[in-house]
Amino acid sequence: MSDIDVRADRLARVKALTDDGTFTEFGSQARHHVHAFDMQRKRPAGDGVVTGVGRVHGRPVALFSQDPTALGGSLGETHASKIARMLDHAARARCPIVGLLDSGGARIQEGVAALDGYGEIFRRNVQCSGRIPQVSVVLGPCAGGAVYSPALTDVVIMQRGKAHMFVTGPRVVKAVTFEDVSLADLGGADVHAQASGVAHLVADTAEESLDLARRVLGFLPGSCWERPPTYAPGDPLPMPEGGGIPDDHRMPYDVRLVIGGVVDAGSFLELHERFAPNIVVGFARIDGQAVGVVANQPLVLAGCLDIDASEKAARFVRMCDAFGLPLVTLVDVPGFLPGTGQEASGIIRKGAKLLYAYAEATVPRVTVVLRKAFGGAYIVMNSKSLGADAAFSWPGAELAVMGAEGAVDVIYRRDLEADPSRRDELVARYRAEAMAPHIPAERMSIDEVIAPGQTRDVVAATLRSLADGVEPTYRHDNLPQ
Ligand code: HXC
């Protein structure tokens, strides 16, 4: 796929993002009024940023697109004021704002006026948070404090090889830490997709990056006061036999196959695919309705919750709640990841974010326990006690304070010291008497035990039953975490 050449047409990117013929530019003649450093000789029309309104999937969006061909896309007072006005416009129009970032950062000649320009943008990003969707597509440099505008938005998309995001560049890093690091290794798309979690999505070309932005917008309402858009209902992919769960409960399987058997075929858009892959989050549709899916991934760390997974899922849950997307949670979690590293890094404080996000959420919330739901992680993963509207379990699942082996070691310690050969018998007894899903079903912690093949229909029916009960409204912001 070819890339988009802004040198030939400075509107090329906004045209690629918006529906054909729908883009209307505002401020094409805006220019800076700076005299210092001979700046009167460099006054490009538009001041290095294209701003305006258009439509995506027929629905209104506001947008800005930094133009690297004019003053390096650097941000001065006029440039910033154009972006701030688009944010104000989007807030008033109650429509999403999409920012295409490609800039040398604060315009050096404008000094504090440029820095204040960033402050004006950041303040508006925060005021819009949770009210209108904000999507950032980074197609070039985004350095210094400039990175904090995308970081305040809901979804960040980066173009591999072109986008670089860092607070301090390679030269400063070298001066301070003596470390030699390339642009790509410091702030390239792969670093942010895998290690830092800054990027939700990555694409190889500008065109693909903008396509991803269009896909993201296809799941989100214009604002929190509107319902998400609906599409023609689709059928799911076939659910794997027995849900694809291996006979040996310690063996991994790919939870994305289960997701495929629940959501409309082809609708799943995974976010943060390579960051904290022990939990899977993404947008999808069920019966044509947008939903957010959260699922433990047994393929990685046995699906344990750790700090990164908790923060990743927490922000996703809060974003879905802010924009009225029902939550479907698929649970197969042996617990929180044990270890001094996690404890010292704050798994208590950071794990609490996911718990908080679920407990706070008022959108429809459905949970299905696939295989394991143990201890605190059982509660955190949208249990009924945290306010899930409905919780289901597959028949072979185990729900308990802890796994059978560990439990037996605690409660039968004396018996096992007296007769170690009783271990298997006691484990089997614990499994039968304390872990089977009919036990939580009797006390209504689980609403129904359902076969894997029923899952899509039961989840869809539950969501349909709740669809009219939740009015679109402002719930909360989408605080970065
Ligand atoms: C003013 C700038 C500029 C800047 C680029 N230009 N960045 N002018 N302020 N920040 C100008 C160049 O002088 C040049 O002008 C034109 O844009 C194109 O730049 P080139 O360097 O020729 O382009 P390229 O080789 O593609 O390199 C692009 C670049 C590089 C990697 C972005 O320009 C660069 O490193 N710029 C500085 C980046 C930076 O350190 N920014 C400050 C970050 S701190 P002419 O007239 O020659 O065409 C920051 C703080 C924000 O932004 C704080 C927010 C709270």
Side-chain angles (χ1 to χ4, degrees), residues 398 404 425-440:
E398 298 176 327
E425 168 218 326
L426 293 172
V427 166
R429 180 172 166 196
Y430 181 83
R431 282 219 161 89
E433 292 183 12
M435 302 184 92
H438 70 266
I439 301 163

Side-chain angles (χ1 to χ4, degrees), residues 280-291:
V280 174
V281 303
F283 299 123
R285 294 195 183 87
I286 293 180
D287 275 349
Q289 308 283 334
V291 297

Side-chain angles (χ1 to χ4, degrees), residues 173-199:
V173 170
K174 170 92 177 159
V176 176
T177 70
F178 309 109
E179 228 181 323
D180 264 317
V181 64
S182 68
L183 276 179
D185 288 344
L186 187 62
D190 289 312
V191 170
H192 289 308
Q194 192 162 342
S196 74
V198 168

Side-chain angles (χ1 to χ4, degrees), residues 242 314 380 404:
V380 171

Side-chain angles (χ1 to χ4, degrees), residues 189-209:
D190 289 312
V191 170
H192 289 308
Q194 192 162 342
S196 74
V198 168
H200 295 83
L201 293 161
V202 169
D204 284 323
T205 65
E207 212 158 277
E208 286 168 1
S209 306

